[in-house]
Amino acid sequence: MTTRSPVAPELSAIEVRGTTRGAFLMRGALAVGAAYGAGTVGPFVTQALAQAGQGNPRGAGDIEILNFALTLEWLEAFYYQRALKAVNMSSETKALAQEIETNEFEHAKFLNGAIKSLGGKPVPQPEVSFPFAGESKFLQLAQTFEDTGVMAYNGAAPLIEAKDVLANAGRIVQVEGRHAAGIRMLRGQNPAEAAFDGVLEFQEVVRRVKPFLDTLPFSFRQEELPRGAQQGDSSYF
Amino acid sequence: MSQSEVQDERPPGPSAMERLMDDPSSRKRFLTKLGGTFGAGAVAAFAAACGAADKTFPNQRSPEANKNPQFGGGTKFGEGDTGIVNFALYLEYFESDFYDLINNSGLLSGKFYSISRQIEEKEREHLEALRDTAKQMGTQPIKKPKTKFPVESQPQILKLAVTIENTGPAAYLGQAPRIQEAEILASALAIHTVEARQAAALNMLHRKKITPDGAFARPRDMATVLKGVAPYIVG
């Protein structure tokens, strides 16, 4: 199901795909199945269908969405943490990387706590690896992560049930947008590419971050992936 | 999708997070736990986030909320989602006027001028989209306010731009959890992060932190936003 963003033609480029929770979760399940082999789909599909039905505990789907966000936050936090050690940066870049690193760890820790408070089980920290080279490559990949983060949150937010969870996701995505602009400015790019930020579906987010995840740390699949399959695909930069 | 379908997916009863927000003792326990694990910085940030949530959305689930001027009820913007769209339109008019004025002042140059022109274009797109949305929702779009801004020098203008541009994302963030229709919410979020990007870019030019609120941006309610822009509105 595809719902077009309202009426105004200027907004019609923004698609809210899968505005039902079931659609969102199903797509996520199928995406992960496609990326990692059909064997991984089963349990998640069952869970998704159960959540889409009536009479389930309120917030069950919110936990899935927050766990999805948590993985992205860990990925970003570790990226800046490691880059600050591995990459020779100008003082301006270093200051920004430190500011962002602090924020990303706070996001991850907040989400971890929020998932527990909703009665969920936070996904474990992912095993990650990054292809570090110089400052310019660092900023390039940082921009990919930040822009992806913005679109991932904006895509998932309308599916969130609890208003307080939505409010906190909003507080986080604004900060991701600010990070994206800071990185873009250091690269001499426009802070915003268009007047409206797009959304990404679960499937596309997985495709973008997969090359940097050595393990797939979602709650429905925790076994190790073959390392060889995960090494630096930079074809989409 | 209609509103009723969205509502049908939401079983009654407060979520764990809502219970946490509503219950001071459990929130205190939660914060203590966070403190033990994550350190004072994270607690302060989370407490600020919680405090803001309590202050900004205390009545969001009650019908009375829409009658409260703090939440836009009974104001010139109207109630519900149309009121929020009109409020956003009002702010975009305000911002567009500002950038139109400063970009034609002959006082700007360099990186700031280039960014400022980019922002003006985007504000205009926001404005047009929101005006069309208001019309399509069957409401009269709010009238363009008359504005007056002090324009003296590039440093003075940049400082004012930082203040004005950081108001935008805070205003959208304050409204987002009040929006009923998923499509309107998605559109507001699509604008919200662009406003955030613009604010961060100007902060950077002003040698200010790109995330002045830290890891969790603070929302501003309608009344606070209107108070902030009032000095520059003359009619």
Side-chain angles (χ1 to χ4, degrees), chain A residues 118-187:
Chain A
L118 287 166
K121 186 170 182 279
V123 291
Q125 298 179 8
E127 300 286 328
V128 291
S129 50
F130 306 106
F132 287 122
E135 175 171 320
S136 129
K137 279 279 172 201
F138 158 70
L139 288 172
Q140 193 179 27
L141 186 51
Q143 183 179 325
T144 299
F145 286 148
E146 298 295 345
D147 281 339
T148 300
V150 168
M151 291 188 280
Y153 273 101
N154 278 354
L159 306 167
I160 294 173
E161 283 181 19
K163 292 291 183 191
D164 295 323
V165 174
L166 174 62
N168 282 311
R171 296 197 175 97
I172 293 175
V173 72
Q174 181 180 126
V175 168
E176 300 293 338
R178 287 171 177 269
H179 292 167
I183 298 285
R184 282 168 161 270
M185 291 282 282
L186 288 185
R187 297 188 72 215

Side-chain angles (χ1 to χ4, degrees), chain A residues 1 3-11 14 16 19-22 52 54-59 62 66 92 96 99-100 102-104 106-107 109-110 112-114 116-119 146-147 150 153-154 157-158 160-175 177-186 188-199, chain B residues 1 8-18 20-22 30 33-34 38 41-42 45-46 49-50 52-53 56-57 60-61 111 115 118 121-122 125-126 128-129 132-133 136-137 165-166 169-170 173 176-180 182-187 189-194 196-205 207 209-219:
Chain A
M1 167 177 167
T3 305
R4 292 232 164 229
S5 188
V7 291
E10 291 83 354
L11 296 183
I14 305 160
V16 186
T19 51
T20 67
R21 181 169 310 282
Q54 297 291 318
N56 288 290
R58 189 182 160 101
D62 288 359
L66 293 181
E92 195 182 14
L96 190 73
E99 182 178 350
I100 299 179
T102 306
N103 292 341
E104 304 297 14
E106 286 192 33
H107 291 170
K109 287 162 182 174
F110 171 78
N112 203 73
K116 283 187 200 162
S117 79
L118 287 166
E146 298 295 345
D147 281 339
V150 168
Y153 273 101
N154 278 354
I160 294 173
E161 283 181 19
K163 292 291 183 191
D164 295 323
V165 174
L166 174 62
N168 282 311
R171 296 197 175 97
I172 293 175
V173 72
Q174 181 180 126
V175 168
R178 287 171 177 269
H179 292 167
I183 298 285
R184 282 168 161 270
M185 291 282 282
L186 288 185
Q189 297 211 354
N190 298 347
E193 215 143 74
F196 306 96
D197 267 321
V199 300
Chain B
M1 159 182 292
D8 286 346
E9 286 187 12
R10 302 179 180 197
S15 70
M17 180 71 94
E18 286 165 330
L20 185 72
M21 290 299 192
D22 294 341
F30 185 40
K33 198 167 128 203
L34 271 176
F38 306 134
F46 182 62
C50 285
T56 313
F57 319 115
Q60 63 193 0
R61 283 171 296 278
K111 188 86 184 151
I115 296 284
Q118 284 177 36
E121 271 174 42
K122 293 184 171 72
E125 285 189 57
H126 295 168
E128 286 168 6
D132 289 350
T133 303
Q136 296 280 350
M137 292 169 91
E165 200 52 47
N166 280 278
L173 187 55
R178 300 183 56 236
I179 296 173
Q180 298 293 316
E183 290 80 3
I184 302 290
L185 173 60
S187 304
L189 290 169
I191 297 175
H192 166 240
T193 44
V194 170
R197 288 169 183 267
Q198 293 171 172
L202 293 178
N203 283 9
M204 208 168 195
L205 293 177
R207 306 245 161 237
K209 278 180 79 173
I210 58 168
T211 59
D213 298 339
F216 303 93
R218 274 192 220 113

Side-chain angles (χ1 to χ4, degrees), chain B residues 55-56 70 77 87-88 90-92 94-95 163-164 166-175 218-233:
Chain B
K55 184 166 172 284
T56 313
Q70 192 190 353
F77 302 110
F87 171 63
Y90 185 83
L91 292 181
E92 298 289 354
F94 176 83
E95 288 183 313
T163 303
I164 287 175
N166 280 278
T167 301
Y172 277 93
L173 187 55
Q175 296 307 310
R218 274 192 220 113
R220 267 178 236 166
D221 64 40
M222 217 178 258
T224 307
V225 170
L226 292 174
K227 205 173 149 192
V229 302
Y232 310 105
I233 291 184

Side-chain angles (χ1 to χ4, degrees), chain A residues 27-92:
Chain A
R27 244 189 303 281
L30 295 172
V32 173
Y36 295 99
T40 63
V41 176
F44 187 58
V45 169
T46 314
Q47 204 181 349
L49 290 175
Q51 280 168 352
Q54 297 291 318
N56 288 290
R58 189 182 160 101
D62 288 359
I63 291 167
E64 295 296 334
I65 291 170
L66 293 181
N67 260 327
F68 173 54
L70 177 56
T71 299
L72 295 180
E73 296 291 353
W74 283 131
L75 179 74
E76 288 180 316
F78 291 138
Y79 181 63
Y80 293 101
Q81 186 182 55
R82 292 193 194 173
L84 280 163
K85 290 178 189 142
V87 180
N88 196 11
M89 300 179 193
S90 71
S91 60
E92 195 182 14

